[in-house]
Amino acid sequence: MTDRSDPEVDLLWEEFHEVVNMTSAELRSWLLTSASDEDAFPADPDLGIRELGRGVLHVLGKRKVDLTDEDVEVMCRVVDFVRERVTTAPAGAARDDRWRRALMSVGHDPLGPAVPEG
């Protein structure tokens, strides 16, 4: 378990919740639909869902005081991934289905609220 009073974890928690602009329900629905590659949900909810996306769902269901070291790692990876992808996005990237799907698989909808710079 992480140190509850760690200012770095506090900052990471805030950054994570800034870049993850989808609710847990939206992300779960997206991952399930994306995993099935259909409009319907597959029978097994874990079938084909990316590991990092599942990690995001797991963190979204927690309170900050309950974070584990693995949760902190997931948050770091997601913040870095989203910021790098958004910063290096090609022109018209929001219409690029592959680019948008990659971001949405970790809880960031590029058509949603903008990611603060940092």
Side-chain angles (χ1 to χ4, degrees), residues 1 26 33 71 76 82 105:
M1 180 170 282
E26 290 169 332
T33 302
D71 297 330
C76 283
V82 171
S105 72

Side-chain angles (χ1 to χ4, degrees), residues 13-57:
W13 177 262
E14 290 175 26
E15 290 176 329
F16 175 80
H17 285 283
E18 287 173 356
V19 301
V20 175
N21 63 0
M22 296 170 69
T23 66
S24 58
E26 290 169 332
L27 177 57
R28 181 171 174 75
S29 178
W30 170 257
L31 291 173
L32 290 171
T33 302
S34 178
S36 70
D37 206 23
E38 301 172 357
D39 291 334
F41 296 104
D44 179 357
D46 288 338
L47 182 65
I49 297 176
R50 298 174 118 172
E51 189 67 34
L52 191 54
R54 282 197 307 255
V56 171
L57 280 175

Side-chain angles (χ1 to χ4, degrees), residues 18-113:
E18 287 173 356
V19 301
V20 175
N21 63 0
M22 296 170 69
T23 66
S24 58
E26 290 169 332
L27 177 57
R28 181 171 174 75
S29 178
W30 170 257
L31 291 173
L32 290 171
T33 302
S34 178
S36 70
D37 206 23
E38 301 172 357
D39 291 334
F41 296 104
D44 179 357
D46 288 338
L47 182 65
I49 297 176
R50 298 174 118 172
E51 189 67 34
L52 191 54
R54 282 197 307 255
V56 171
L57 280 175
H58 187 72
V59 171
L60 288 175
K62 287 190 163 192
R63 300 175 308 159
K64 184 171 41 173
V65 297
D66 296 327
L67 294 173
T68 64
D69 291 338
E70 292 80 20
D71 297 330
V72 170
E73 175 62 27
V74 165
M75 292 191 310
C76 283
R77 289 178 56 203
V78 169
V79 167
D80 291 346
F81 177 81
V82 171
R83 290 201 189 278
E84 188 272 328
R85 288 284 176 119
V86 168
T87 301
T88 61
R95 291 183 302 274
D96 181 332
D97 191 49
R98 186 171 173 210
W99 180 80
R100 185 170 181 238
R101 283 178 175 270
L103 285 165
M104 289 181 72
S105 72
V106 296
H108 178 75
D109 184 350
L111 300 179

